[in-house]
Amino acid sequence: MKVYKFGGASVRNAEGVRNIASILQKTEDKVFVIISAMGKTTNALEGVHEAFMANRNERARERWREVLDYHLGIIGQLFADEHKATVENSLLPLTDEIVKIIDNSAERDDFDKFYDRIVSFGELMSTTIISQYLNLQGGVDNLWVDMRQLLVTDSRFREAGVNYTITARNICEVVGRCDKRVIVGQGFIGANPSGCTTTLGREGSDYSAAVVASVTEADSVTIWKDVPGILNADPKHFDNTVKIPCLNYLDAVELAHSGAQVIHPKTIKPLQNKNIPLCVKPFGQPDQEGTIICSQQTQQMNVPIMILKQNQILISIRPNDFSFVLEDKLSEIFSLMGQYRIKINLIQSSAVSLTVCVDQSRHIDRLIDQLQTEYKVAYNDNLKLLTIRGYDEELFTRYADSEDAFLVQRTRRTLRIVLKA
Ligand code: ASP
Ligand code: MG
């Protein structure tokens, strides 16, 4: 079996959905298809959630209506008249459910839990529409599955961890029993053991695809994207970018972790563990090679890879009493960061101080307040982190020697610089 993942950009309009049908028609393999929410739906649903949490029900319903209209527009373009009503009606249970959530007067206490309940509707809608399109008009007989019943997670809402054992049992059971060639399921979403909807973190559909591939020991995963493959740098920020034909798992995971937005950082581990290759292919040109990520790089790369991670904050932490930070305080500081779900991107230490570069997040202020009860804390925000793998002296001079560089770390292969944004 193969696993295909189609992201939001690939399914943002009717043409994208037709293209999925054409890609699926071209393969004879059994395929488990993982699909994201259409276009910018997740952002829009974050708006619904925001209004909902602020007790602005009217506003929440209005924003939901915009999301729904966008989907109805796509249905209008996609389906022949005889099918339109059926497909529109198939969204009704979802509409009822979300309106019920919005109008429920129960206390809006758990921000993250409600986030997952509301935002998950993006994937539920996209797959409901696409699965029917494939069945009714696209010539691809398929089974729609609700990943909330298959992908079981812990209860860390918005960043749930997957229970591989139960998930494997559930998914293998469905795959074994399904007599259709194609199965269509949602990326990004799952549920905890009591059935509450969870999500795997923004852009988490890649990870869903990797989980499905891992538990079914699939032959490969293909992530279909609106780029020709993995480029050595983001063309929005750098000139003369080139496509990388092949990467090993280690480079890929470093790249993803440093902020390359082509694949979700958690995607690589389950694939590496089972030695399943990952292809990143251009949605618009399915016959092109794209990039292959596997255990062994077949082609040496001779271009530097540049990754820019935005919204960084550099925090320096010093014990008031001159304790050695690495010996006495490290685990305490790290456990605090774990508690606030702060992701550390770079660390530097001296005898009595620890400096970390982390993603700006809504928990940062609370973390800093908490740290300040025991440590001297200084920070700079509005920074970006540039990682260059395979840098040369010219790149070093250009970026690390600049006045904007707050912190520079280099090994023989990798250069990392925290810069003013
Ligand atoms: N729809 C979710 C998001 O936009 C998950 C994904 O696209 O991977 O973050
Ligand atoms: Mg997406």
Side-chain angles (χ1 to χ4, degrees):
M1 191 181 75
K2 289 185 170 162
V3 177
Y4 282 1
K5 182 256 169 174
F6 296 97
S10 312
V11 294
R12 67 177 194 280
N13 52 27
E15 193 193 331
V17 178
R18 286 188 203 107
N19 195 30
I20 295 189
S22 114
I23 289 175
L24 287 170
Q25 280 162 9
K26 280 189 198 131
T27 162
E28 282 166 9
D29 298 284
K30 204 164 179 169
V31 187
F32 202 120
V33 182
I34 290 290
I35 302 178
S36 297
M38 291 175 150
K40 302 272 179 234
T41 300
T42 305
N43 292 353
L45 288 168
E46 282 183 345
V48 176
H49 170 254
E50 194 186 305
F52 168 81
M53 290 305 293
N55 285 311
R56 298 175 61 201
N57 289 10
E58 191 56 42
R59 180 79 187 120
R61 252 181 272 124
E62 234 169 72
R63 302 201 74 169
W64 160 249
R65 188 71 225 181
E66 288 161 18
V67 173
L68 184 61
D69 284 346
Y70 162 62
H71 288 81
L72 293 175
I74 293 179
I75 292 174
Q77 288 171 24
L78 211 46
F79 288 90
D81 288 341
E82 75 226 64
H83 298 310
K84 265 182 204 152
T86 320
V87 182
E88 281 171 13
N89 287 340
S90 71
L91 293 184
L92 284 179
L94 296 172
T95 306
D96 286 352
E97 202 180 324
I98 201 160
V99 170
K100 226 184 263 163
I101 297 173
I102 294 171
D103 289 337
N104 191 326
S105 56
E107 209 189 324
R108 294 164 190 197
D109 46 354
D110 194 328
F111 188 95
D112 292 345
K113 191 171 172 180
F114 276 116
Y115 177 98
D116 286 356
R117 273 188 80 183
I118 291 175
V119 162
S120 54
F121 281 89
E123 273 69 13
L124 291 167
M125 285 197 290
S126 69
T127 52
T128 301
I129 296 169
I130 294 167
S131 165
Q132 290 179 92
Y133 175 77
L134 296 173
N135 271 331
L136 296 169
Q137 290 179 212
V140 182
D141 199 22
N142 71 94
L143 174 74
W144 179 90
V145 292
D146 185 341
M147 294 301 280
R148 295 174 301 179
Q149 286 165 15
L150 303 179
L151 200 142
V152 177
T153 71
D154 58 25
S155 300
R156 262 170 86 109
F157 296 103
R158 293 185 76 173
E159 184 126 15
V162 175
N163 180 325
Y164 277 84
T165 316
I166 309 180
T167 301
R169 207 166 54 213
N170 292 347
I171 292 183
C172 291
E173 205 251 322
V174 166
V175 170
R177 155 165 72 77
C178 174
D179 54 1
K180 310 201 183 230
R181 186 175 66 84
V182 172
I183 298 177
V184 173
Q186 308 76 34
F188 181 54
I189 71 172
N192 72 6
S194 5
C196 285
T197 307
T198 54
T199 67
L200 307 177
R202 284 304 306 263
E203 305 302 329
S205 295
D206 294 351
Y207 181 40
S208 302
V211 170
V212 171
S214 161
V215 300
T216 57
E217 315 220 328
D219 302 327
S220 64
V221 176
T222 304
I223 296 184
W224 297 92
K225 289 196 72 94
D226 56 349
V227 290
I230 297 184
L231 305 181
N232 74 316
D234 185 342
K236 274 192 253 142
H237 301 294
F238 300 97
D239 298 329
N240 307 324
T241 54
V242 293
K243 194 195 79 183
I244 304 166
C246 181
L247 272 176
N248 60 35
Y249 292 121
L250 183 64
D251 280 331
V253 82
E254 289 285 0
L255 269 177
H257 185 260
S258 313
Q261 283 178 339
V262 269
I263 27 175
H264 188 277
K266 284 189 189 158
T267 310
I268 303 298
K269 178 181 154 39
L271 300 179
Q272 188 274 343
N273 292 175
K274 296 266 175 88
N275 203 8
I276 299 169
L278 169 68
C279 314
V280 178
K281 291 233 266 174
F283 184 63
Q285 290 126 324
D287 300 326
Q288 293 209 350
E289 285 290 318
T291 298
I292 296 182
I293 297 164
C294 54
S295 57
Q296 241 153 34
Q297 196 164 336
T298 46
Q299 257 168 289
Q300 222 35 56
M301 244 175 356
N302 47 15
V303 289
I305 301 181
M306 326 254 290
I307 306 129
L308 204 52
K309 207 172 166 81
Q310 310 275 4
N311 295 325
Q312 298 298 296
I313 169 164
L314 197 61
I315 309 178
S316 293
I317 304 155
R318 218 169 87 185
N320 287 320
D321 62 358
F322 254 60
S323 314
F324 290 123
V325 75
L326 288 183
E327 283 169 29
D328 305 334
K329 299 290 180 194
L330 197 61
S331 63
E332 198 177 292
I333 296 171
F334 279 1
S335 103
L336 211 53
M337 295 200 162
Q339 224 169 293
Y340 286 105
R341 300 192 189 179
I342 305 293
K343 294 204 178 116
I344 303 175
N345 298 318
L346 177 144
I347 298 180
Q348 181 136 309
S349 69
S350 73
V352 293
S353 88
L354 180 76
T355 301
V356 290
C357 179
V358 302
D359 289 350
Q360 184 80 48
S361 82
R362 64 189 187 90
H363 299 299
I364 285 287
D365 293 344
R366 278 158 66 207
L367 171 77
I368 290 177
D369 286 349
Q370 177 87 35
L371 283 168
Q372 272 170 339
T373 60
E374 213 187 316
Y375 302 95
K376 282 204 185 79
V377 182
Y379 64 91
N380 281 289
D381 52 8
N382 255 323
L383 302 175
K384 57 191 181 184
L385 172 62
L386 174 64
T387 303
I388 309 180
R389 263 172 103 73
Y391 67 95
D392 57 18
E393 283 313 307
E394 196 232 305
L395 285 169
F396 183 87
T397 314
R398 179 160 4 137
Y399 293 105
D401 273 352
S402 109
E403 270 179 16
D404 291 342
F406 274 65
L407 192 158
V408 178
Q409 278 185 357
R410 78 195 278 187
T411 62
R412 273 186 298 177
R413 177 114 196 262
T414 305
L415 174 63
R416 310 194 76 197
I417 310 160
V418 180
L419 290 158
K420 217 187 272 171

